[in-house]
Amino acid sequence: MTNTTSDALNNLEDRFQKLVTRKKTQQLQSNALVTLPQWPNGMRGTPNACLRSALFAGVQGNERIAYKKRTLLAAVDGIEVRYLGVQLNQSDLDVWMQIVHLSRQQLPGFCVTFSAYALLASLGRSSGKSQHEWLKESMARLGGAFVEITFQGRHTFGEKGFLRYYRDENTQRYVVELTESMLRLFEEGYTHIEFEQRQQLRKQPLALWLHGFLSSHAAPYPMKVATIHRLSGSSAKTLRDFKYRLRKALDALVSIGSIESYVIGDEAVKLQKRPSPTQQRFLNGNSH
């Protein structure tokens, strides 16, 4: 790479950093989110709105659909999610969770820098050309999506994109700024996701969605099969087909110790799981 090209790339990165620093100063002068919550290195903090809805669907990449208008997605009571863009799935959530994890010790508005190789390795992926292209596609989906989330009908967060980024095409190094509206979702409640368990569920999108959803509940309640089908954004055309996928996904959760047992009835699913220490304190009526 010539010195002229190198200087141009450095200037572009400097400009990106200056824009972010200017925004950071403006945010600190307003009622901005001060910092992200902290969590252990083996966990991934994730807003409940991302786990209790079809925003990051439990579907394979080849099953994605494009929402061509502001579409209301399935979500639990109290949350409304509207979305415009190419459907996000659990692999996109992996990317966003990892970037948030890298950013958790920085003030919102600052950039986080990483190499594509390091991010792929952290997600247990190889570093071949196809995986680099997969990461570029995921970053584009996360950057281009328009998300609008309303809580209890009281206030709405709307933002184009979960992140903004600069990429050096020679080094494949990323400089990423996470959008503040999406980070503010943490203020409405978040969950610690056990990263090692999640890694064991790779390429099992419905199991991944269930893992996140169930992690966000201290004591799972019986749920209708049709409700899980709707909330997960599943592409299964019939409930019979979905029940088959659901059984395989729940078997996977039992095998990694995420849940202890389950029973799928004619209409409802009943689960047994051991709450985490934090969730147990919640169940005992203590704050965490």
Side-chain angles (χ1 to χ4, degrees), residues 44-62:
R44 296 295 181 268
T46 311
N48 290 336
C50 297
L51 302 174
R52 298 176 179 176
S53 71
L55 179 56
F56 291 94
V59 298
Q60 298 286 358
N62 59 5

Side-chain angles (χ1 to χ4, degrees), residues 35-244:
T35 187
L36 282 171
Q38 297 298 300
W39 51 80
N41 196 50
M43 298 291 183
R44 296 295 181 268
T46 311
N48 290 336
C50 297
L51 302 174
R52 298 176 179 176
S53 71
L55 179 56
F56 291 94
V59 298
Q60 298 286 358
N62 59 5
E63 297 173 331
R64 294 183 194 277
I65 58 177
Y67 296 105
K68 298 182 180 180
K69 63 179 182 179
R70 182 170 162 268
T71 301
L72 180 64
L73 303 181
V76 298
D77 290 345
I79 301 174
E80 291 184 3
V81 180
R82 288 175 171 82
Y83 186 80
L84 175 66
V86 178
Q87 187 179 40
L88 301 174
N89 70 2
Q90 290 294 303
S91 64
D92 298 313
L93 181 57
D94 280 336
V95 173
W96 190 66
M97 284 198 305
Q98 185 63 18
I99 296 173
V100 170
H101 183 70
L102 295 173
S103 305
R104 73 193 189 282
Q105 295 180 343
Q106 301 188 51
L107 289 173
F110 281 98
C111 290
V112 61
T113 301
F114 55 85
S115 69
Y117 175 84
L119 190 77
L120 289 169
S122 70
L123 297 178
R125 289 178 173 266
S126 65
S127 58
K129 181 179 179 180
S130 65
Q131 294 301 297
H132 278 270
E133 290 302 313
W134 168 83
L135 178 59
K136 290 178 181 179
E137 291 287 339
S138 184
M139 293 289 286
R141 284 189 294 272
L142 289 166
F146 182 83
V147 185
E148 184 181 282
I149 302 181
T150 303
F151 294 93
Q152 304 296 339
R154 291 183 292 110
H155 49 270
T156 298
F157 297 98
E159 184 89 61
K160 182 182 178 182
F162 284 81
L163 47 78
R164 290 179 282 272
Y165 59 89
Y166 161 86
R167 180 176 59 241
D168 184 326
E169 292 297 340
N170 289 286
T171 63
Q172 292 299 299
R173 183 164 56 94
Y174 283 84
V175 182
V176 177
E177 178 199 6
L178 296 166
T179 53
E180 189 186 1
S181 288
M182 293 301 102
L183 291 178
R184 279 191 176 276
L185 297 179
F186 281 93
E187 296 176 338
E188 300 297 327
Y190 68 95
T191 293
H192 289 171
I193 302 295
E194 292 195 33
F195 183 61
E196 185 176 342
Q197 283 190 344
R198 187 171 173 88
Q199 285 289 84
Q200 295 179 63
L201 299 172
R202 276 191 57 209
K203 299 182 180 180
Q204 301 179 72
L206 182 56
L208 286 166
W209 184 89
L210 283 165
H211 182 260
F213 180 82
L214 295 173
S215 295
S216 74
H217 292 82
Y221 48 89
M223 292 186 65
K224 291 182 178 180
V225 173
T227 300
I228 301 174
H229 177 258
R230 183 173 57 85
L231 288 175
S232 68
S234 174
S235 61
K237 301 300 182 185
T238 66
L239 284 184
R240 181 179 179 180
D241 180 24
F242 181 70
K243 272 190 177 181
Y244 171 75

